[in-house]
Amino acid sequence: MDSTGQPSSVSSPLLTQQEDHFVASINEEHETTCWGCGLRLIIAPYAPVFRCGWCGAITNHNARKSDGKYSWLRRLRDRCFVTILLLFMLFIIGSGVWAIYPVVFSVSNFCGIFHMIVTAILSISTISTYVLASFRSPGVPPLISWGSYPAVGRGGLADYNFCHICSKPKSPDTHHCRSCGMCVLDMDHHCPFIGNCVGAGNHRSFILFLISAVTSTFYVSVISAYVLYHIWPPLRHIPSVVLTRSTVFAVIKESTLPFLISVESLPVRGFVLIYLFFASISVKIGLAVLLWQQLCYIYEGKTYLSHLSSNPDEVEEKDCQNIVRFFGCPYPATRYVLTFWNSKKKHDK
């Protein structure tokens, strides 16, 4: 035994000098140190990735420290996206108030006040959740002891990897983001439109932002179409006839010309409403698809990255309770919902 208490090899005097050199070279090739517990390990020279038998930490000799030369450029890109989107949301709110509410108040004061309250609620909720998702920390992995044998117990770092960029342990559900320059706990993805990673710290704020944004864009499309209907110049009445192949083209021709003439006499408020309608429709479709995808991952108890790395042959436990736990709903409010959901599934079976 050596002074460290670890076993050491003793050469026999009967061995030749060539054999001593051979044994020493084999020990040098096979011996390494575990980064997790600091114990010396004997491994095969052709095994670049290995697991420590004591602490369970995984060592990858092929892992290289990536170059962060352009990380500042990625952060600048993300900040520009955040600024542009904030300006776009403020433009939608301001132009909507200017174009919509004079017409709504002309209908009735009650209708105008009601829609103003709805607009204030949706605007505050959308902007606040967006700011929280953009500027809140996406989730820092908890500190854990590593590097020394007395502090690290048996299996204390099971399936942990070592992040060569952050120089600290990385759990299986933690990923390093090159754009943010940090390890993120339960990382879902890096979203350039919020300029931040979506992880354990802001995933709920991100989902609430998507819900609020989809609701707001739906409201904008409906109210802009309603106001357009009221301010659009009247079209020339086309008498109803029995449509044949010849009359179809005549009807299209007679309806297109009055429509184009009416567009020329449309006020500036009308063009702003047209833009709001089509912009809200396009944004709503994209956000609704993203929201549905995110809710499906939450229902499966996964994130986007864990879905990519999972085995497709594995049978995952899908449960509505995963969504309840994600949003942190109080127990009395969810007990009835879960009971109703489980009884419905049993009835369907």
Side-chain angles (χ1 to χ4, degrees), residues 41-90:
L41 305 176
I42 305 298
I43 62 170
Y46 50 82
V49 181
F50 60 90
R51 186 194 307 271
C52 178
W54 171 258
C55 66
I58 299 175
T59 302
N60 185 4
H61 287 306
N62 292 334
R64 297 180 180 178
K65 185 175 181 178
S66 60
D67 187 11
K69 181 178 179 181
Y70 300 103
S71 60
W72 66 271
L73 188 60
R74 289 189 289 265
R75 287 194 293 269
L76 179 61
R77 175 205 61 187
D78 294 341
R79 295 301 102 184
C80 291
F81 274 129
V82 171
T83 304
I84 292 172
L85 282 179
L86 280 175
L87 293 177
F88 176 75
M89 287 188 286
L90 293 176

Side-chain angles (χ1 to χ4, degrees), residues 85-86 89-91 93 120-135 209 212-213 216:
L85 282 179
L86 280 175
M89 287 188 286
L90 293 176
F91 169 75
I93 295 171
I121 294 174
L122 292 177
S123 301
I124 293 173
S125 63
T126 302
I127 293 179
S128 61
T129 52
Y130 179 78
V131 171
L132 287 175
S134 299
F135 297 101
F209 162 69
S212 180
S216 300

Side-chain angles (χ1 to χ4, degrees), residues 225-258:
Y226 172 77
V227 175
L228 267 175
Y229 175 77
H230 279 78
I231 69 171
W232 199 275
L235 301 178
R236 189 177 64 179
H237 177 69
I238 301 175
S240 59
V241 294
V242 179
L243 295 180
T244 62
R245 189 168 183 178
S246 59
T247 58
V248 168
F249 294 101
V251 170
I252 294 176
K253 183 178 179 181
E254 292 181 3
S255 60
T256 302
L257 185 60

Side-chain angles (χ1 to χ4, degrees), residues 122 126 206-216 291 295 327:
L122 292 177
T126 302
F206 181 72
I207 297 298
L208 292 176
F209 162 69
L210 292 179
I211 295 174
S212 180
V214 170
T215 307
S216 300
L291 176 61
L295 291 178
F327 287 103

